[in-house]
Amino acid sequence: RSPRKPPRKGERRREQSDAMATATATGIAINHRRRPAAPALATLPPSSSSALSPIRPSLRLSHSLCFLSGNRYSKRNPKTRGLGVVVCAATEPLKVMISGAPASGKGTQCQMIVEKYGLVHISTGDLLRAEVSSGTEIGKKAKEYMDTGMLVPDEIVTDMVVSRLSQKDVREKGWLLDGYPRSSSQAGSLERMKIRPDIFIVLEVPDEILIDRCVGRRMDPVSGKIYHLKNFPPETEEISARLITRTDDTQEKVRSRLETYKQNSDAILPTYFDLLQKVDGNRPREIVFQEIDALLQKIRTDAVKFKTLEVTNGNSNSNLKLAASSRDNWRGIPTRLNNIPHSKEIRKYFYDDVLQATQNAIEDKIRRLKVEINIPELNPETDVYRIGTLLELVRTLALSFADDGKRVKVCVQGSMGEGALSGMPLQLAGSRKIMEFMDWGEYGALGTFINIGSIGAREVEEQDDLFILMAPQNAVGNCIIDDMKAMTDAAGDRPVILVNPRLKDMPASSGIMQTMGREKRLEYAASFENCYFFRLLYYAGTQYPIMGALRMSYPHGYELYKRIDESYGKEKYKLIATFPKRPTGEEINAAFEGKPRQAIES
Ligand code: AP5
């Protein structure tokens, strides 16, 4: 099996999965704000939750605070597993990334930020221009690209940035990265090195303004200060006389740079999804700075709250065990989940989250896995359900395993029953065909490393390493479980992953519940271990507003989040409790009301 590795790995996917290797530890702060009692929840399926220790009423997790080295999966890193002391962010200097189109004002804002915060400003544009003017080999090569407004090759820029970031002053004072990363591969390089900012600022300015800003820009070679003939004329005649114009500031080149920016900028946003702050850069520079300053101040204030906290992982006396979020490359729950269709960043977030949990479980030799993810677009009970989202999720999983050289069989349930009773679950109708037409990557994975099949023992071939069953479900009058069982028997110790299975009892076509062999069927369905679970929680009988979310990502427990409204239409999810097993509706309600765990159980 697996006679060869794929000839070319999908670069982006590789970056994504490597990015997951990022091991971050977390500062935890205790926030004693009182929470109002929550109305009753829609009932959740009962859980066999055992006695649980009391937790503090409200805890907040922060992420990307400390960088710990680790191998592919942070849970395997002994440093993170038995983490004794979580070093708080307050001890760390600020790490800021600023991005935006050419002339959006990055350099101008950086000067103001440096002045106030003393960070080390690392501008790839400045570094490259310095190489060009010194006539170095790097400079000669870079010039060709800069003159046409294209991106200088990654290997040149990344080396420059990484070597600068490793220097002592940067480690001590913090950094302000301007113009890097500019492509998904550059972002991937930083992720692999576990370099993440505290904030990712994007300056937004309309195109027509940008051209004028570039053409009117002048630089002072002595002070490095940026001027504009109209907007910020130099203070003295002397300065005015020595000003220079950048060679790439002609109208034509600016247009080309702008085009390059547009082609690349979207690709990096998913990496910094949770840290993204868009700032309107089309205002006087002092006003723009006021907003940036407030954002940086907030990071500082929050960091100060994160006192060094002793967290004994695994100790039942601990107030809160380190949640999954703190140990994997987890970036918080995306907001605006009720906005349909989901943005591609939201979808990507969940694909990555599911992938990481699944990989963790397979690495731990769990062979029968179940993914249950119930965001609006993946909830077939709602009319915003999108089969495309399910297909994309399955593709992400399959391609990632194929990247690792595994032969994956993606199985879509076919027609069931016979004669007039034959049919297939509505949700899956046509999905196999769509799957065949989907883009399966550059190296022709479909037909080699990924094959599409159905559900049943006959589908299991010698060459298959892993099976993904897409939303297997009972159809009216027909039970898929017997076919699944035959298939898993044939698969032996090869992993079988169920993505959003629906294996509950279904009434037969006669309207009567199937009862024969029911117990065995349910027992079989329960033999699949949840490696990922996500569900939004709503106030009883509503779909809005969202009350919170329940998340579980193998190997960690269930995390309960409360959705909190913020100013300007923003929202956030705040961790309020963790559970070793899936909590019941009652346990969730009690946690929302801030009742101590013991009181719930009595
Ligand atoms: P780089 O130097 O980074 O250029 P850029 O991204 O095009 O950005 P600019 O420096 O032109 O603009 P800015 O946003 O800093 O604006 P500024 O504050 O000066 O990169 C140059 C080249 O290097 C690239 O094209 C590429 O080839 C290469 N490169 C760089 N990084 C790379 C990477 N990571 N990978 C590969 N290649 C890379 O302001 C502009 C003007 O507007 C000024 O005159 C200013 O006074 C004025 N202004 C600023 N703010 C305001 C305001 N609020 N209101 C009115 N005017 C304002």
Side-chain angles (χ1 to χ4, degrees):
R1 287 190 282 170
S2 302
R4 66 181 174 91
K5 282 275 200 188
R8 214 173 120 211
K9 297 192 174 195
E11 198 186 354
R12 237 177 113 188
R13 290 192 303 278
R14 165 63 60 218
E15 280 159 12
Q16 285 163 4
S17 71
D18 281 351
M20 287 163 188
T22 308
T24 58
T26 291
I28 293 181
I30 297 170
N31 175 350
H32 293 285
R33 256 184 304 161
R34 281 194 47 176
R35 283 164 297 119
L41 261 185
T43 323
L44 267 186
S47 105
S48 54
S49 182
S50 57
L52 300 163
S53 57
I55 58 159
R56 298 235 179 156
S58 173
L59 293 121
R60 182 169 58 186
L61 279 178
S62 101
H63 42 273
S64 83
L65 299 177
C66 309
F67 299 130
L68 293 179
S69 63
N71 55 14
R72 189 173 168 89
Y73 300 112
S74 51
K75 74 188 178 69
R76 297 184 196 297
N77 181 349
K79 280 189 195 163
T80 53
R81 180 159 245 177
L83 204 63
V85 172
V86 177
V87 182
C88 70
T91 62
E92 293 210 354
L94 272 177
K95 299 178 284 274
V96 179
M97 278 182 188
I98 188 160
S99 170
S104 53
K106 301 183 291 293
T108 304
Q109 292 303 320
C110 284
Q111 286 178 349
M112 298 163 100
I113 296 170
V114 168
E115 209 167 290
K116 174 147 188 190
Y117 290 88
L119 306 180
V120 178
H121 178 205
I122 305 172
S123 152
T124 40
D126 288 351
L127 290 174
L128 288 166
R129 277 186 288 277
E131 296 283 345
V132 173
S133 61
S134 319
T136 64
E137 275 311 305
I138 288 182
K140 283 183 199 149
K141 194 155 183 210
K143 191 170 184 320
E144 292 168 29
Y145 294 88
M146 295 171 79
D147 280 350
T148 53
M150 285 162 65
L151 291 188
V152 174
D154 284 353
E155 60 272 19
I156 296 181
V157 189
T158 301
D159 281 356
M160 280 180 359
V161 170
V162 171
S163 93
R164 188 68 189 92
L165 280 172
S166 64
Q167 286 167 19
K168 193 163 171 259
D169 61 333
V170 178
R171 291 200 309 269
E172 285 172 1
K173 296 182 186 165
W175 46 260
L176 171 57
L177 207 40
D178 161 7
Y180 190 96
R182 274 186 207 225
S183 63
S184 65
S185 61
Q186 293 182 0
S189 300
L190 293 184
E191 290 285 286
R192 278 194 292 279
M193 285 178 276
K194 304 169 189 73
I195 298 170
R196 265 181 92 65
D198 299 313
I199 184 169
F200 185 84
I201 300 169
V202 178
L203 294 177
E204 295 187 312
V205 176
D207 289 3
E208 57 281 8
I209 309 274
L210 296 171
I211 311 275
D212 171 65
R213 282 197 189 176
C214 266
V215 175
R217 171 169 44 194
R218 297 293 181 273
M219 318 284 291
D220 180 355
V222 176
S223 65
K225 213 167 158 187
I226 305 164
Y227 292 97
H228 189 278
L229 292 179
K230 265 193 313 208
N231 304 342
F232 310 115
E235 297 88 350
T236 64
E237 281 298 316
E238 191 191 347
I239 300 175
S240 182
R242 66 185 186 224
L243 292 183
I244 54 169
T245 309
R246 268 171 50 173
T247 56
D248 58 354
D249 270 351
T250 64
Q251 253 202 43
E252 193 189 325
K253 288 179 186 172
V254 177
R255 284 189 200 283
S256 157
R257 283 159 55 200
L258 193 52
E259 203 44 47
T260 307
Y261 171 77
K262 286 182 178 167
Q263 281 163 11
N264 292 290
S265 55
D266 276 358
I268 48 175
L269 296 187
T271 308
Y272 302 111
F273 178 76
D274 57 320
L275 306 170
L276 179 65
Q277 290 289 347
K278 291 184 178 174
V279 173
D280 177 3
N282 191 20
R283 295 174 294 173
R285 59 181 181 165
E286 290 75 17
I287 305 290
V288 177
F289 180 67
Q290 263 176 25
E291 187 173 339
I292 293 179
D293 189 24
L295 292 168
L296 300 184
Q297 290 287 0
K298 184 165 185 317
I299 296 175
R300 281 230 162 137
T301 323
D302 284 352
V304 171
K305 289 184 197 156
F306 299 138
K307 299 254 165 63
T308 300
L309 183 66
E310 277 213 350
V311 179
T312 315
N313 191 16
N315 175 347
S316 58
N317 291 328
S318 115
N319 295 315
L320 182 71
K321 289 177 186 170
L322 280 178
S325 10
S326 64
R327 290 178 291 179
D328 289 327
N329 188 29
W330 187 84
R331 303 178 193 141
I333 290 179
T335 54
R336 298 175 182 270
L337 285 170
N338 258 0
N339 282 10
I340 310 292
H342 293 324
S343 66
K344 74 174 181 240
E345 287 85 7
I346 287 184
R347 298 200 312 271
K348 184 181 179 301
Y349 162 88
F350 282 107
Y351 304 157
D352 287 354
D353 211 24
V354 171
L355 178 62
Q356 178 155 358
T358 315
Q359 286 178 326
N360 282 345
I362 289 184
E363 282 240 326
D364 273 358
K365 308 239 176 309
I366 297 177
R367 294 293 171 244
R368 301 291 176 256
L369 309 169
K370 192 164 50 171
V371 169
E372 287 184 64
I373 167 171
N374 206 345
I375 50 178
E377 277 190 8
L378 284 176
N379 182 355
E381 315 272 310
T382 67
D383 56 5
V384 296
Y385 177 76
R386 290 176 83 214
I387 189 73
T389 306
L390 180 64
L391 290 165
E392 266 185 346
L393 169 64
V394 168
R395 177 174 63 182
T396 304
L397 294 178
L399 281 172
S400 176
F401 287 113
D403 270 0
D404 289 339
K406 291 198 171 66
R407 286 181 180 269
V408 183
K409 183 158 279 173
V410 178
C411 304
V412 187
Q413 188 169 343
S415 186
M416 300 163 71
E418 281 172 21
L421 294 179
S422 73
M424 71 190 302
L426 189 58
Q427 185 195 352
L428 296 175
S431 53
R432 176 171 175 152
K433 204 77 205 142
I434 303 172
M435 199 166 257
E436 284 164 10
F437 285 116
M438 277 167 70
D439 174 5
W440 287 96
E442 301 131 15
Y443 58 81
L446 191 65
T448 55
F449 282 83
I450 295 172
N451 285 292
I452 301 175
S454 183
I455 295 182
R458 274 182 316 192
E459 299 295 328
V460 177
E461 293 176 275
E462 175 64 17
Q463 60 165 18
D464 300 324
D465 291 312
L466 184 148
F467 303 87
I468 298 177
L469 275 50
M470 196 172 101
Q473 53 198 276
N474 295 322
V476 175
N478 288 297
C479 177
I480 188 70
I481 291 188
D482 297 334
D483 294 303
M484 280 175 56
K485 175 134 183 21
M487 185 170 190
T488 43
D489 287 347
D493 71 348
R494 288 175 267 176
V496 178
I497 306 166
L498 312 184
V499 180
N500 277 2
R502 304 174 77 206
L503 302 175
K504 284 188 286 191
D505 278 348
M506 289 284 289
S509 44
S510 60
I512 297 166
M513 288 287 240
Q514 285 176 310
T515 47
M516 263 172 47
R518 176 173 189 271
E519 205 173 305
K520 270 201 155 162
R521 283 201 311 273
L522 294 184
E523 195 183 307
Y524 171 75
S527 67
F528 285 80
E529 190 172 325
N530 254 116
C531 70
Y532 189 82
F533 180 91
F534 187 92
R535 174 180 176 156
L536 285 176
L537 306 170
Y538 298 96
Y539 294 98
T542 69
Q543 293 266 294
Y544 185 81
I546 296 171
M547 181 179 179
L550 188 62
R551 170 185 180 267
M552 190 281 291
S553 169
Y554 180 88
H556 311 297
Y558 284 78
E559 299 167 335
L560 180 63
Y561 291 86
K562 180 179 182 183
R563 179 188 160 280
I564 294 171
D565 268 324
E566 288 197 308
S567 50
Y568 313 115
K570 291 185 178 164
E571 59 182 20
K572 70 177 177 189
Y573 285 84
K574 178 170 164 183
L575 180 69
I576 57 171
T578 60
F579 303 84
K581 290 188 179 159
R582 191 188 304 184
T584 60
E586 202 185 22
E587 285 172 316
I588 291 175
N589 274 334
F592 269 85
E593 286 161 17
K595 287 186 190 157
R597 201 69 66 79
Q598 274 152 351
I600 303 164
E601 279 147 11
S602 59

